[in-house]
Amino acid sequence: MSLSSNKRLSILPGETGRFAGILSGVILLLAVLPILTMIVMSFSGASNLDFPPSSYSLQWYRAAWHTFVSPDASDVLSLGKAMTTSLLVACLTMVLATLVAVPAAYALVRCEFRGKALALQLMSLPLVFPMVVLGLALLLVFDSLPLQMSFSRLVIAHVILALPFVVKNCTAAMLSIGSEVEEAAQMLGASPQRAILDVVVPLMKSGILAGMLLAFIVSFNEFTVTYFLYTIDVMTVPIWMYSRTVSSLDPTVFSFAVLIVLIDFVLIWALEKLVGEGGVSF
């Protein structure tokens, strides 16, 4: 067969043409370009923020480390306290969302009840609801309560945002588990509750862990809703970083942002490994 005939052959399934490959590369480049720009700027050796930098150094990383270990007296809240708040809120969000999502996923898959379709739609509502409107609505609700809530309202808001991700993953894991496994466990003497805890939940492990990681990532990086609910004493890392850019852009923010990207990268890598080993994604 001649070379010209080979060129006329159609592309086989699973193969991509040159145009598709170039288009995919351009889209990928546009997606990562802001992150690459931020990383390059974090190594700038200049005192201004010109791009590309005229020189490179680690001065902003040294300044960021100094800010972390010896915060300025003018800072209302240190980065260490903000990081502690972010980690606590993310961990509590992860645990609480999972405790709600596992029984919810079981009920949505195994049970038939009136309003099931509506429940599924409402569960996904935070994914499409405007974050600004949601943050304002939650602020009005919490301010109308007689209780003084600062830390807890951040946790509640983040659970609302993360719950759809955990429910979707747990539901997908439940769909792959046939009801015969529970019936077999009950025939062997297990109660319905023990069959769920000892058989169903372990089989949902990959979906549960994937949902937990997504809940942590969503909570740790959440800014819009948190902006309406934070207080001067309870502030997450994204809010703290934003506060460093209000009056003038602090170049150390780029160094802190690289740290956040590294944390997210590790979590996403762990999530991808989990998905590759039989987990589910959303």
Side-chain angles (χ1 to χ4, degrees):
M1 186 178 292
S2 63
L3 181 62
S4 59
S5 299
N6 288 335
K7 290 182 179 179
R8 289 195 296 269
L9 290 176
S10 60
I11 298 175
L12 297 175
E15 297 181 352
T16 58
R18 180 176 298 178
F19 175 76
I22 294 175
L23 181 61
S24 300
V26 171
I27 294 175
L28 181 61
L29 178 62
L30 292 176
V32 301
L33 189 59
I35 298 177
L36 294 177
T37 302
M38 175 197 66
I39 294 175
V40 171
M41 291 300 297
S42 70
F43 290 100
S44 173
S47 58
N48 52 20
L49 294 175
D50 293 336
F51 184 85
S54 57
S55 61
Y56 296 91
S57 75
L58 296 175
Q59 62 172 338
W60 300 123
Y61 284 92
R62 288 192 293 267
W65 174 252
H66 179 75
T67 301
F68 181 76
V69 298
S70 302
D72 296 333
S74 59
D75 287 343
V76 177
L77 194 70
S78 66
L79 175 61
K81 291 182 179 179
M83 180 66 75
T84 301
T85 300
S86 286
L87 291 175
L88 286 176
V89 171
C91 289
L92 286 174
T93 299
M94 178 177 63
V95 173
L96 293 176
T98 303
L99 291 177
V100 175
V102 172
Y106 182 89
L108 291 172
V109 174
R110 288 285 191 266
C111 305
E112 294 294 334
F113 54 90
R114 183 178 300 177
K116 180 178 178 178
L118 179 61
L120 287 170
Q121 295 297 324
L122 291 176
M123 194 67 67
S124 302
L125 189 60
L127 295 175
V128 297
F129 204 79
M131 293 293 102
V132 174
V133 178
L134 180 60
L136 180 59
L138 289 174
L139 176 63
L140 295 175
V141 170
F142 287 126
D143 284 348
S144 65
L145 298 177
L147 303 175
Q148 291 294 330
M149 305 173 67
S150 55
F151 181 85
S152 57
R153 67 181 184 178
L154 289 182
V155 175
I156 295 172
H158 286 202
V159 169
I160 294 173
L161 294 173
L163 194 58
F165 296 94
V166 190
V167 171
K168 290 290 185 180
N169 277 276
C170 292
T171 301
M174 267 300 303
L175 290 172
S176 64
I177 304 172
S179 58
E180 61 273 8
V181 296
E182 294 175 68
E183 296 172 0
Q186 294 180 37
M187 290 178 61
L188 293 175
S191 64
Q193 293 77 15
R194 297 303 303 178
I196 294 174
L197 293 176
D198 294 342
V199 178
V200 176
V201 172
L203 292 175
M204 293 174 61
K205 179 180 67 174
S206 58
I208 293 174
L209 292 177
M212 292 177 69
L213 282 175
L214 282 173
F216 188 95
I217 293 171
V218 169
S219 174
F220 191 76
N221 293 281
E222 167 55 33
F223 172 80
T224 306
V225 173
T226 307
Y227 181 77
F228 287 90
L229 301 176
Y230 83 95
T231 62
I232 202 66
D233 297 321
V234 180
M235 187 182 299
T236 61
V237 172
I239 298 297
W240 183 89
M241 292 174 61
Y242 173 75
S243 68
R244 307 279 293 192
T245 64
V246 174
S247 57
S248 61
L249 181 58
D250 184 356
T252 59
V253 169
F254 290 108
S255 304
F256 293 127
V258 171
L259 173 62
I260 301 301
V261 169
L262 288 176
I263 294 174
D264 290 336
F265 178 82
V266 171
L267 293 174
I268 294 173
W269 175 83
L271 180 61
E272 290 295 328
K273 293 292 290 184
L274 178 62
V275 171
E277 295 173 0
V280 292
S281 61
F282 177 70

